[in-house]
Amino acid sequence: MGRVWRSVNLGVKSLLLHKLRSSLTILGVVFGVAAVIMMLAVGEGAARDAQEQIAQLGATNIIYRSVKPSQDAQSQKSGGRPSRVLNYGLKYDDFDRILATVPTITKALPIREIKREVRRSNNAMEARVVGTTHDYQEFNRLQIERGRFLLPSDNEHYENYCVLAAETARTLFPFENPLRQSIKIGSDYYTVVGVTKPRGSTAAIGGSMAAQEYDKDVYIPLNTCRARFGERILSSRAGSQEAEETQLSQITLQVKEIDEVPMTAPVIEAAVQPFHEDKKDVDMVVPYELLEQAKRQAAIFSLVLGSIAAISLIVGGIGIMNIMLATVTERTREIGIRRALGAKRRDITQQFLIETVVLSGIGGLIGVAIGVFVPPLITQFSEIKAVVTPSSVMLSFGVSVLVGIVAGLYPANRAAKMDPIEALRHE
């Protein structure tokens, strides 16, 4: 141990004789290690963002959504003639059939969404009216600020009750308590029984699901929605009227364990898809599959970023090798004297390897400090989320030391193989 410590002490002294050269050599490793940590932090941040967005949908959920058919699909269905009423999407029969045929489902949430103007005196806004049941709050993790959410009895008794989202409440009731007040949706009046806390929007997930904004919602019982609005929606556009007939906008199904999702999804698809094969008007989203896909993509993304950053680390290693080769040439007489005094080849090899490890180790430590310090600043001053993980720090530092050893092997071996007599004659 004492021998190694003396070698380390001697190596540090040798490097300090050329401070500027040693500092410039270390810089390559510093930038390489810092770049690896920061790149992996950005990759980890992007991965967590995507996974959090998908996890909000519920990893044990399976979602079926109504999709408006394309013009081609509509033409094929109506024999090339435009249909006066576009009938598409999920039906109540689909909902009942799924519950009757898939035993692993523990909860099911039917949803009907309609865009309507909601009004309170002179205050009005375009809102998303959501006809649903009491389970909607749990499925979408809504928190109540005032009053309560919908109850099962509200749905059973077709009550004209509603729950307002945060922004809807602020717009319609800027200076009043909304509870027990009335608002107008279409031609009917609804009593406000609750207000939800603000909830962040969900981002769009590829082509699977559009982004959802919860703060402009109005929640009413599903049976009330069905009785008041019916299933046919008329809309005017460019002087013409269009009619759409849809029963349910979405059905969210939940299983008990995440392991049951892969085997339940095909069963649900088999129960629904045959009744919509010709119109292609429904689409299934399985958050669990999206989550697994996001994890695979994140791993590839991190690998690519880490590989790009690792190139700078290799360049730093080449710099160390170059400097050490020059050092061997400069210290040829020293090597000859040490060999003449009894030093063995392994002592010479050890000496030069220690110097390269000291160079790469110091560079690695400084690089780790920079790599850990910068990502929080990136997150604070930009919208890019960067997360430093202990594994990325240990990996980058370990690789920097390994690069130092590999880069020092050739110069150390070359120094050790020098003939002592020729080395002593070197000028």
Side-chain angles (χ1 to χ4, degrees), residues 272-410:
V272 175
Q273 211 62 39
F275 297 89
H276 299 269
E277 197 67 44
D278 53 343
K279 292 194 289 188
K280 302 185 187 311
D281 57 348
V282 295
D283 187 26
M284 185 172 74
V285 178
V286 184
Y288 170 76
E289 293 178 355
L290 296 176
L291 195 60
E292 292 298 307
Q293 185 180 350
K295 287 179 180 176
R296 288 194 294 272
Q297 290 177 344
I300 295 172
F301 187 53
S302 295
L303 182 63
V304 172
L305 289 179
S307 301
I308 293 171
I311 292 174
S312 57
L313 197 54
I314 294 173
V315 172
I318 294 172
I320 291 177
M321 181 185 287
N322 186 38
I323 291 299
M324 292 311 296
L325 284 172
T327 303
V328 168
T329 303
E330 289 174 358
R331 294 163 62 184
T332 300
R333 282 183 63 82
E334 176 193 327
I335 294 169
I337 293 170
R338 291 188 64 187
R339 289 297 308 277
L341 293 175
K344 298 178 180 178
R345 284 185 173 177
R346 68 166 182 270
D347 298 321
I348 304 299
T349 303
Q350 177 181 293
Q351 182 61 47
F352 280 92
L353 273 181
I354 285 174
E355 290 183 19
T356 57
V357 170
V358 169
L359 279 174
S360 60
I362 293 173
L365 288 174
I366 298 173
V368 165
I370 296 173
V372 172
F373 178 72
V374 173
L377 297 179
I378 294 175
T379 304
Q380 187 174 352
F381 294 107
S382 71
E383 295 182 352
I384 300 173
K385 186 176 182 179
V387 179
V388 178
T389 60
S391 59
S392 68
V393 172
M394 289 187 284
L395 176 69
S396 54
F397 180 73
V399 170
S400 73
V401 175
L402 182 64
V403 166
I405 293 173
V406 172
L409 275 177
Y410 177 69

Side-chain angles (χ1 to χ4, degrees), residues 223-248:
N223 285 339
T224 306
C225 178
R226 193 176 183 183
R228 302 287 179 267
F229 294 100
E231 294 160 358
R232 185 171 295 183
I233 304 296
L234 289 171
S235 59
S236 299
R237 184 179 300 172
S240 64
Q241 282 196 331
E242 294 179 355
E244 294 182 4
E245 193 170 306
T246 307
Q247 293 186 359
L248 290 172

